[in-house]
Amino acid sequence: MRTIFVLFDSLNRSAMGAYGGQSVKTPNFDRFAARAVTFDRHYVGSLPCMPARRDMHTGRLNFTHRSWGPLEPFDNSFAQILKDSGIYTHMVSDHLHYFEDGGHGFHTRFSSYDFIRGQEYDPWIAMVEPPIERIKAKFDDRHYQTSKRDKRMQHAINREEIVEESDFPGPRCFASGFDFLDRNRNADDWFLMLECFDPHEPFYAPDRFKAAYETGHAGGILDWPHYERVVESEEEIAEIRANYAALVAMCDEYFGKLIDYLDEYDMWKDTCVVLSTDHGFLLSEHGWWGKCRMPYYEEVSHIPLIIHHPQHQDQAGTRRRHLTQTMDLMPTFLDLFGLNIPEEVTGRSLLPMLAEDAPIRQAAVFGVFSGPIGVTDGDWVLYHYPPDIYREGLVEYTLAPAHMTAPFTIDELKTARLAPPFNFTKGVPVLGIDALMDAKRVPNNDGVGFADIGTRLYDLINDPRQTCPVEEPAVCKRLYEEMVRELHAHDTPAGVYRWYDLNLLHKKGGYHEETTGSGDGAAAGGGERARGIS
């Protein structure tokens, strides 16, 4: 078996014709869907970028225990398991977060990897005195600050070296992927992860792609919206969306080159191809840009997944309606190569669903550490917000204390104490570190909080665009039960239930006190107080 996993970042379902999108022409994504199985109810797990990738590697949710961080020493990694089992694994990626403090340990699980430089604020081009005046004249200062220390300035500097289409990180990722295929297409037992940071912001594509979505905008470059409320004019919104569309069109064309390659060398008969993303992105829908602080509307949480398997070519063009999630990829990858799935994995292999549309879960639970928790059964979705972001009691559990771009601070580390194992740490104790309010973690590091938002329920069947939240107590009760059941399966600490007021819901909706414990660990002295954490 050979497998190619193509992972884009922030690829919206609504931007793909195969999912009914009309704003962007995606003939290659669409022709891939015509020869593969398309999953219609595929959802995220942990958010955003690196937490999503930890779900992909380990096959379980991680947002219930810690924020954005590295792969933990006790984590299962599909890439490592494949490698240890004699399957050659290779990763091509321009995703700079792998090479920051909070992203280490992922790429090194592969047999080999190629890091493509220059994406986003990758510290790639060293320029002591950047051309600030030229940058000011070129970019809109609402998206690009001109301080030498601002990460967006680094991106502007990187763009000085991106001149030809072949200079762009996305095309270079595919070129590297084709190099791997040229060397290895006649070999067997390999796994290629071809990962492109595009169409993640900044939405920068070659001119020929933007030409098809020209808006007539005459001002500075607008392609990197802040994750906040929309304040731009209609013309500016159109320009930002056009820049995203151009980048999606570029991704589609280069994915088409991969399809052509597989056609040319007759690889479909013995190669599995998986196409997906980590999460979506709000492009002014619901009055927001971005992700994480706002509700995880369908644009963010409901993501594409399309799979071609050579043994299921009779299912080409069919669709699956039952719920799947990001963490289901890991056991699927192991199952493709006939390998055993570790007991810590809570995701389910999708291979049975390629043969028939059979359910593997009743609900999908997703979220960001210390942010809202989402739960959906495919027909309804509930976003549960913490009642008070400033309350104490939330704890991060880790043996790799690093945030996105820096280690935990000394003040954070001073709160560290040893906590007994969880059901996924393989008997290894971990550090419990207070989740301080001023910690540099998503989504709390903007200091805004959630007071302007709040818990809400949507009817996805009658209100698919989520224009009006509803009150349906019976539905809420059922979804909360599903949420607590999933949290329990992931050995969620008792403090999480208390911090979100989920331990009080039994008084209103028939919940049992034992659901506020720490999963199986509660019965074995594994609750937070028993863990030595008060």
Side-chain angles (χ1 to χ4, degrees):
M1 174 62 73
R2 297 99 64 83
T3 299
I4 303 173
F5 175 34
V6 182
L7 179 68
F8 291 101
D9 195 304
S10 308
L11 177 60
N12 289 354
R13 291 171 82 254
S14 61
M16 302 173 70
Y19 284 103
Q22 298 179 349
S23 61
V24 187
K25 292 181 175 61
T26 56
N28 298 296
F29 292 148
D30 302 346
R31 67 176 168 131
F32 177 58
R35 74 182 309 153
V37 175
T38 299
F39 290 76
D40 281 326
R41 286 182 168 176
H42 186 60
Y43 279 83
V44 297
S46 302
L47 295 169
C49 298
M50 296 319 297
R53 283 156 180 78
R54 190 175 171 207
D55 280 8
M56 292 178 198
H57 273 254
T58 65
R60 60 179 295 125
L61 296 174
N62 66 82
F63 78 88
T64 56
H65 294 81
R66 71 149 302 162
S67 60
W68 179 305
L71 204 64
E72 296 281 351
F74 46 76
D75 278 346
N76 298 304
S77 163
F78 78 82
Q80 185 72 54
I81 294 171
L82 291 175
K83 180 170 66 173
D84 291 345
S85 302
I87 310 302
Y88 194 94
T89 56
H90 182 66
M91 183 181 79
V92 175
S93 181
D94 59 347
H95 196 109
L96 76 157
H97 299 313
Y98 284 121
F99 298 87
E100 296 176 316
D101 290 277
H104 67 75
F106 291 87
H107 62 284
T108 51
R109 302 282 75 79
F110 291 82
S111 305
S112 55
Y113 63 87
D114 187 11
F115 177 36
I116 306 300
R117 301 300 303 271
Q119 188 61 268
E120 201 189 24
Y121 61 85
D122 176 20
W124 175 43
I125 301 302
M127 189 175 293
V128 178
E129 294 294 340
I132 291 179
E133 292 306 315
R134 184 165 77 241
I135 290 171
K136 280 183 177 181
K138 186 176 181 180
F139 296 91
D140 191 301
D141 60 9
R142 290 170 294 178
H143 285 196
Y144 289 83
Q145 292 72 45
T146 52
S147 165
K148 290 183 182 180
R149 297 183 179 182
D150 188 84
K151 65 182 184 180
R152 300 188 181 210
M153 173 61 77
Q154 179 64 59
H155 173 70
I157 292 170
N158 290 344
R159 279 166 75 151
E160 295 281 308
E161 298 297 316
I162 301 174
V163 180
E164 304 295 330
E165 184 170 324
S166 58
D167 298 331
F168 280 72
R172 287 163 56 207
C173 280
F174 274 90
S176 178
F178 292 134
D179 284 344
F180 175 87
L181 294 175
D182 285 343
R183 292 188 181 94
N184 301 289
R185 65 172 177 265
N186 294 319
D188 198 7
D189 293 333
W190 51 256
F191 182 101
L192 168 63
M193 183 170 175
L194 177 52
E195 177 181 355
C196 294
F197 195 64
D198 296 326
H200 190 289
E201 71 280 4
F203 308 136
Y204 179 41
D207 290 343
R208 71 181 181 94
F209 294 102
K210 178 61 188 301
Y213 301 95
E214 191 57 59
T215 67
H217 174 70
I221 292 172
L222 287 166
D223 62 7
W224 200 342
H226 294 278
Y227 292 7
E228 252 303 341
R229 305 275 188 182
V230 172
V231 295
E232 289 83 356
S233 68
E234 289 299 321
E235 181 240 346
E236 291 166 339
I237 292 172
E239 175 64 11
I240 297 169
R241 293 176 67 91
N243 284 323
Y244 177 80
L247 197 51
V248 171
M250 185 194 80
C251 294
D252 176 79
E253 179 167 312
Y254 277 85
F255 184 76
K257 295 177 186 294
L258 175 62
I259 295 176
D260 295 340
Y261 190 103
L262 297 175
D263 285 342
E264 180 180 358
Y265 294 103
D266 193 26
M267 294 180 66
W268 295 105
K269 66 180 184 296
D270 52 12
T271 306
C272 180
V273 181
V274 180
L275 168 66
S276 195
T277 191
D278 52 355
H279 50 69
F281 191 89
L282 285 167
L283 292 161
S284 78
E285 299 92 347
H286 313 284
W288 288 94
W289 299 110
K291 54 187 184 284
C292 296
R293 189 172 86 83
M294 67 294 293
Y296 313 122
Y297 291 110
E298 291 283 281
E299 290 86 355
V300 172
S301 59
H302 194 176
I303 57 176
L305 173 65
I306 308 175
I307 300 177
H308 160 82
H309 191 292
Q311 295 177 9
H312 296 285
Q313 297 191 59
D314 62 320
Q315 296 295 313
T318 62
R319 308 183 80 93
R320 301 294 180 263
R321 292 281 297 163
H322 289 291
L323 287 167
T324 58
Q325 284 194 262
T326 298
M327 68 265 203
D328 296 328
L329 293 176
M330 182 268 202
T332 303
F333 294 152
L334 297 185
D335 205 4
L336 284 170
F337 291 92
L339 301 180
N340 293 328
I341 297 170
E343 62 181 2
E344 295 84 9
V345 172
T346 59
R348 284 84 161 178
S349 171
L350 301 178
L351 290 197
M353 291 186 70
L354 295 178
E356 61 175 336
D357 194 6
I360 60 172
R361 61 167 43 81
Q362 297 302 311
V365 173
F366 44 90
V368 176
F369 180 86
S370 76
I373 300 176
V375 56
T376 183
D377 62 2
D379 295 338
W380 302 84
V381 63
L382 173 72
Y383 307 117
H384 176 82
Y385 272 80
D388 179 8
I389 193 175
Y390 299 105
R391 65 165 45 164
E392 297 180 351
L394 197 61
V395 177
E396 298 216 36
Y397 295 94
T398 180
L399 286 179
H403 292 300
M404 181 176 175
T405 58
F408 278 36
T409 65
I410 297 301
D411 286 342
E412 290 176 280
L413 294 174
K414 283 180 179 178
T415 73
R417 54 273 197 201
L418 202 61
F422 287 91
N423 67 6
F424 58 92
T425 63
K426 302 175 181 174
V428 178
V430 294
L431 293 176
I433 301 174
D434 287 354
L436 303 182
M437 265 305 301
D438 59 354
K440 299 296 184 183
R441 66 174 186 271
V442 176
N444 295 16
N445 57 1
D446 60 10
V448 177
F450 304 124
D452 59 330
I453 308 174
T455 296
R456 59 196 64 191
L457 173 73
Y458 288 96
D459 180 347
L460 297 177
I461 300 300
N462 295 309
D463 181 23
R465 294 187 180 275
Q466 299 175 279
T467 60
C468 184
V470 296
E471 294 186 12
E472 292 286 348
V475 174
C476 280
K477 178 180 182 297
R478 178 169 55 80
L479 289 179
Y480 273 120
E481 289 172 345
E482 294 289 354
M483 179 191 295
V484 170
R485 186 176 296 112
E486 195 69 18
L487 296 180
H488 179 90
H490 285 85
D491 204 9
T492 298
V496 170
Y497 296 89
R498 292 195 295 268
W499 197 78
Y500 281 95
D501 275 0
L502 291 173
N503 60 322
L504 302 179
L505 289 172
H506 72 283
K507 298 179 181 178
K508 302 177 182 178
Y511 298 93
H512 298 290
E513 192 66 40
E514 59 264 27
T515 62
T516 66
S518 181
D520 295 335
E528 271 196 355
R529 195 166 297 278
R531 292 179 192 278
I533 294 175
S534 58

